[in-house]
Amino acid sequence: MTLASRTVRRAAVATMAAFAVTLSACSSLTGGSGGQGAGDGELTLGLLAPLTGAAAADGKAMQNGAELAVDQLNAAGGVKGRKLTLRAIDVKDQTSAAVSSAVTTLTADPNVVAAFTGYASTTNFEIDSFAQAGIPYVLGGNSAQTQEIVAKAPDRYPGIWSIAPSYDGYSTNLPNQLEQWNTDGTFPLRNRKAYLISSDNAYSNQIAGGLKTNLTAKGWQVTGPDTVPFGAVDDWTTQINKIHALDPALVLNLDYQTANAAKFLTQFRQNPTQSLVFEQYAPSVPEFVTLAGAGADGVLFNLPIAPVTKTQVTQDMIAKYTQKYGSAPANYAFIVYEAVRMWAQAADKVGDPAQKDKVGPAIGTLDDQGTTLGRIRFDPATHLAVSGDDGVPFINYQIQGGKRVAITPANYAEGSFQKPAWIR
């Protein structure tokens, strides 16, 4: 973690502490919300999500996934006979103040027995607050940041678990895949020049560093990372001019915000170079294709956690989600959906969903081989989901005909790599 991120984290924790004192006093005066968390009434599940701002599409997917899981659990009688309600709090553009305020709202509510997110802050500093409050917290993103916090002292975080596995594959998978395609003739490389764009946040910058290291080790000349500000980026002319000057075989844009990534691709397609284009995460969001239109076809991306679409359990979830919300689920809908369901398994195992100090650790003992995301089990040293053939699979995708198509590995593939239309 950089000095800047440590400073942000300390400031955020201090801010939350001040908020907590204020809300605690208000709760004492008003009698709180009835204290049902310790009795037999309805229980509240908290959700942190960017419901407004640049990542609102992700936030809505998180909320919908959580709602679907809660609806299904309630329809089956609740958890140990207790019905659930979802309380979603907007973390907006993931600023420390917005996240701190949202966390304080949940930790001050005695009915909240667990909290969930796809991602909330960019550094996951809120983990410490949920651990201190004794509230189980299941995340679905920024796993490198989760590992950095938890691995130093796993026993301090008995209720903190990440559905997302290690992001190490982000640094190694694409370089290895390009080597394979070059060797087997799927896509012979015309040069080994790459242009790398990052966004100024911990998630993107860490992946940028890993990709540059691994591409360089395989003989690539990597220009960048050319880092753009975190937030809305409307004009990519500067980066595209640099791409034309370099004429690389590979262009990588790690700005994961959907609107930004779509604008980059749209502007690149107006006068493209003969380059493969890889964009980080954003093409997995349905909104990306809506924004980029037919120009989205051909772009590559990969995911360390994604729905295994060939299974019946995944098809059933997609059908139920589509019926309820009128569109297919995005990635974070699956992630938060499974996070809620795994909490419910742990609560059922413990026997009392209100016993947060027991339910939290019980999550880490689960080994569910029948989820929409593949097999989910947890590494006790990092509290991340295990990745790989005996865990959550890492999958490469390409947008083809306006749809996300898994292209490798072979046992999860729905199609094969297609040379983008802009490459002659």
Side-chain angles (χ1 to χ4, degrees), residues 247-282:
D247 189 28
L250 176 65
V251 173
L252 308 101
N253 186 354
L254 308 187
D255 189 331
Y256 66 85
Q257 295 177 93
T258 308
N260 291 353
K263 287 174 183 175
F264 169 81
L265 187 62
T266 299
Q267 292 169 28
F268 171 83
R269 289 292 306 268
Q270 291 172 2
N271 184 21
T273 54
Q274 300 295 291
S275 315
L276 285 178
V277 175
F278 173 92
E279 294 205 272
Q280 183 67 33
Y281 172 72

Side-chain angles (χ1 to χ4, degrees), residues 63-316:
Q63 184 177 29
N64 290 349
E67 284 178 350
L68 183 62
V70 167
D71 287 351
Q72 291 177 353
L73 289 167
N74 283 339
V79 179
K80 290 300 180 182
R82 300 186 69 172
K83 293 298 181 74
L84 307 172
T85 188
L86 181 69
R87 185 174 187 185
I89 309 294
D90 186 9
V91 297
K92 302 175 184 177
D93 284 320
Q94 302 171 257
T95 63
S96 59
V99 176
S100 298
S101 178
V103 171
T104 300
T105 298
L106 294 181
T107 56
D109 185 344
N111 285 344
V112 172
V113 293
F116 306 88
T117 190
Y119 57 83
S121 68
T122 60
T123 61
N124 291 357
F125 69 82
E126 72 277 4
I127 282 175
D128 283 314
S129 294
F130 282 115
Q132 290 167 10
I135 296 175
Y137 184 46
V138 186
L139 303 88
N142 300 337
S143 63
Q145 287 69 44
T146 300
Q147 179 173 339
E148 183 179 10
I149 296 168
V150 171
K152 296 174 184 176
D155 291 345
R156 289 178 53 191
Y157 303 95
I160 308 298
W161 302 96
S162 173
I163 292 283
S166 170
Y167 283 174
D168 289 349
Y170 273 145
S171 300
T172 60
N173 186 272
L174 180 64
N176 291 340
Q177 188 64 67
L178 291 171
E179 290 301 312
Q180 181 178 329
W181 286 341
N182 183 57
T183 300
D184 67 18
T186 298
F187 187 79
L189 298 170
R190 63 185 181 86
N191 63 45
R192 287 183 178 265
K193 293 188 290 185
Y195 184 78
L196 177 60
I197 302 169
S198 186
S199 172
D200 194 11
N201 65 85
Y203 168 84
S204 298
N205 288 332
Q206 184 154 5
I207 295 170
L211 278 170
K212 183 166 186 174
T213 296
N214 285 282
L215 285 168
T216 300
K218 292 184 180 299
W220 288 78
Q221 172 195 333
V222 182
T223 299
D226 185 352
T227 304
V228 299
F230 182 64
V233 180
D234 295 319
D235 187 355
W236 294 92
T237 303
T238 298
Q239 289 72 32
I240 291 171
N241 286 342
K242 292 178 182 178
I243 291 168
H244 276 274
L246 181 64
D247 189 28
L250 176 65
V251 173
L252 308 101
N253 186 354
L254 308 187
D255 189 331
Y256 66 85
Q257 295 177 93
T258 308
N260 291 353
K263 287 174 183 175
F264 169 81
L265 187 62
T266 299
Q267 292 169 28
F268 171 83
R269 289 292 306 268
Q270 291 172 2
N271 184 21
T273 54
Q274 300 295 291
S275 315
L276 285 178
V277 175
F278 173 92
E279 294 205 272
Q280 183 67 33
Y281 172 72
S284 70
V285 181
E287 183 188 22
F288 178 86
V289 173
T290 301
L291 294 172
D297 282 359
V299 71
L300 299 168
F301 65 102
N302 54 29
L303 295 170
I305 179 169
V308 180
T309 54
K310 290 184 176 181
T311 65
Q312 189 60 50
V313 67
T314 303
Q315 291 302 313
D316 289 345

